[in-house]
């Protein structure tokens, strides 16, 4: 537990020392999101012989894009393929997931369509001031997220009128093309040795499962979002999320031998359809017959 406004990157060094002091220098892999380690921290981990696997910002892809073009795709599993780029003391794994490609492109089209429609409605609005225009554009930017950069917008000068000549927007086709080819693809970075690329990718998926545990509070567990003010409440929130992760993992492992592709969410959905009732039948001699019944 850390105070508010603590930078994620400032916590890693302390965690490394704390875990090694408590559990020893066991051969473990540190799995981290892209915002956790700094370049300096990764270098220190390599010097200490600590294995790491970290997601890399998409902007970093620009630095390794050309070397990756010459590499051959390797099938990691169905609908997932990877490219490996070996460096001096580490390697990059470029992952392409067809399911993620479809999902990200669908999300991008939906956000971009809403942004475009909103901008056209703004342009057709009468008696719109520059301040109102900026407020609406700010709202569109928040809703569109990173897809906002795919549209280039020209706004009027201060105190200037808002019309078709001063307020213009167009699609940045070069950025759209770059976003199109990077959708559903992400870059992993690791210093693990003699590890198969599909193993590296599957290890990184653990991170998404851990993140899903916190989402389960609002999803499967139907617990409304709570903004905690007390540290004990925050710890309780994390503890319940951890229990949710353990339960989902246990359920998934139990199903692995019988139905490997069945997710814990799908199992819970099936179980929620089962109904159990007790049928009470009074008799003429004053007794009760109780029969338990449940749906198959």
């Amino acid at each position: 537990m850390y105070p508010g406004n603590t930078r994620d990157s400032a916590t890693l060094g302390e965690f490394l020392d704390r875990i090694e002091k408590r559990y020893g220098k066991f051969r473990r892999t540190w799995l981290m999101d892209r915002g956790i380690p700094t370049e300096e921290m990764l270098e220190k981990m390599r010097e200490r012989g600590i294995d790491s696997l970290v997601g890399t910002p998409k902007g970093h892809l620009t630095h390794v894009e050309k070397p990756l073009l010459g590499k051959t795709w390797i099938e990691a599993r169905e609908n997932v393929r990877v490219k490996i780029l070996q460096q001096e003391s580490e390697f990059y794994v470029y992952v392409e997931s067809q399911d993620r490609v479809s999902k990200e492109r669908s999300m991008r089209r939906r956000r971009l369509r809403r942004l475009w429609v909103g901008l056209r409605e703004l342009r057709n609005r009468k008696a719109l001031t520059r301040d109102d225009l900026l407020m609406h554009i700010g709202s569109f930017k928040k809703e569109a997220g990173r897809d906002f950069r795919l549209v280039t917008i020209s706004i009027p000068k201060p105190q200037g009128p808002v019309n078709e000549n001063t307020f213009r927007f167009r699609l940045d086709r070069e950025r759209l093309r770059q976003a199109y080819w990077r959708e559903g693809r992400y870059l992993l970075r690791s210093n693990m040795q003699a590890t198969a690329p599909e193993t590296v990718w599957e290890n990184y998926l653990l991170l998404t499962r851990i993140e899903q545990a916190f989402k389960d509070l609002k999803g499967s567990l139907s617990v409304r979002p709570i903004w905690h003010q007390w540290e004990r409440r925050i710890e309780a929130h994390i503890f319940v999320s951890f229990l949710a992760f353990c339960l989902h993992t246990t359920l998934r492992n139990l199903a692995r031998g019988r139905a490997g592709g069945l997710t814990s969410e799908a199992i819970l959905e099936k179980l929620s359809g089962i109904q159990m009732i007790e049928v009470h039948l009074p008799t003429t001699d004053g007794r009760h017959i109780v029969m338990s019944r449940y749906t198959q």
Side-chain angles (χ1 to χ4, degrees), residues 101 180 205 277:
V101 167
Y180 180 86
L205 287 185
I277 61 172

Side-chain angles (χ1 to χ4, degrees), residues 138-156:
S139 176
F140 291 157
K141 182 177 181 180
K142 181 179 180 180
E143 185 179 359
R146 65 177 180 269
D147 294 319
F148 186 80
R149 64 185 182 88
L150 302 179
V151 177
T152 302
I153 302 176
S154 300
I155 59 177

Side-chain angles (χ1 to χ4, degrees), residues 272-284:
S272 66
I274 298 178
Q275 295 181 357
M276 301 182 67
I277 61 172
E278 287 186 342
V279 182
H280 292 253
L281 299 176
T283 62
T284 56

Side-chain angles (χ1 to χ4, degrees), residues 43-247:
E43 181 61 32
K44 289 181 179 179
M45 292 177 70
R46 287 192 291 268
E47 292 174 356
R48 292 170 61 175
I50 299 175
D51 287 345
S52 64
L53 174 58
V54 58
T56 306
K58 285 194 174 183
H60 193 80
L61 182 59
T62 307
H63 303 292
V64 295
E65 200 164 22
K66 288 185 178 179
L68 280 171
L69 287 175
K71 299 296 180 178
T72 305
W73 287 106
I74 303 173
E75 294 292 331
R77 58 180 292 183
E78 187 179 359
N79 295 328
V80 177
R81 56 181 186 170
V82 298
K83 284 186 177 184
I84 308 297
L85 178 61
Q86 187 69 47
Q87 300 286 335
E88 294 181 359
S89 56
E90 59 183 4
F91 63 92
Y92 290 94
V93 181
Y94 187 46
V95 184
E96 179 191 81
S97 168
Q98 286 300 321
D99 293 338
R100 189 161 173 169
V101 167
S102 301
K103 179 180 178 180
E104 290 189 6
R105 284 181 180 169
S106 175
M107 293 171 60
R108 188 253 308 158
R109 290 189 185 111
R110 188 164 57 249
R111 286 193 295 257
L112 198 56
R113 187 181 300 113
R114 284 200 299 261
L115 173 61
W116 197 261
V117 171
L119 290 173
R120 291 183 64 178
E121 290 178 351
L122 267 183
R123 190 174 59 182
N124 296 331
R125 191 173 297 183
K126 304 296 183 183
L128 183 67
T129 65
R130 184 177 184 273
D131 289 343
D132 289 338
L133 174 65
L134 294 178
M135 289 180 61
H136 281 91
I137 291 178
S139 176
F140 291 157
K141 182 177 181 180
K142 181 179 180 180
E143 185 179 359
R146 65 177 180 269
D147 294 319
F148 186 80
R149 64 185 182 88
L150 302 179
V151 177
T152 302
I153 302 176
S154 300
I155 59 177
K157 296 180 180 180
Q159 310 303 325
V162 179
N163 52 49
E164 292 185 357
N165 296 323
T166 60
F167 172 43
R168 298 187 302 273
F169 53 91
R170 62 178 179 82
L171 198 63
D172 191 326
R173 299 190 178 278
E174 178 59 29
R175 284 186 174 179
L176 178 60
R177 183 190 66 82
Q178 189 179 71
Y180 180 86
W181 288 111
R182 290 184 178 181
E183 285 169 338
R185 302 170 177 89
Y186 49 98
L187 195 63
L188 306 180
R189 184 178 180 183
S190 178
N191 64 342
M192 294 187 294
Q193 301 298 324
T195 305
E198 58 269 22
T199 302
V200 175
W201 175 74
E202 288 175 356
N203 285 344
Y204 190 73
L205 287 185
L206 288 174
L207 192 62
T208 62
R209 292 174 185 168
I210 294 170
E211 291 172 344
Q212 184 63 39
F214 284 86
K215 296 178 182 178
D216 286 338
L217 285 175
K218 295 175 287 186
S220 302
L221 300 182
S222 301
V223 177
R224 62 183 177 86
I226 299 173
W227 307 105
H228 302 295
Q229 303 296 326
W230 300 96
E231 187 169 322
R232 64 178 184 271
R233 296 289 300 276
I234 301 173
E235 291 180 344
H237 186 115
I238 295 174
F239 180 64
V240 173
S241 298
F242 176 72
L243 289 180
F245 172 70
C246 292
L247 290 170

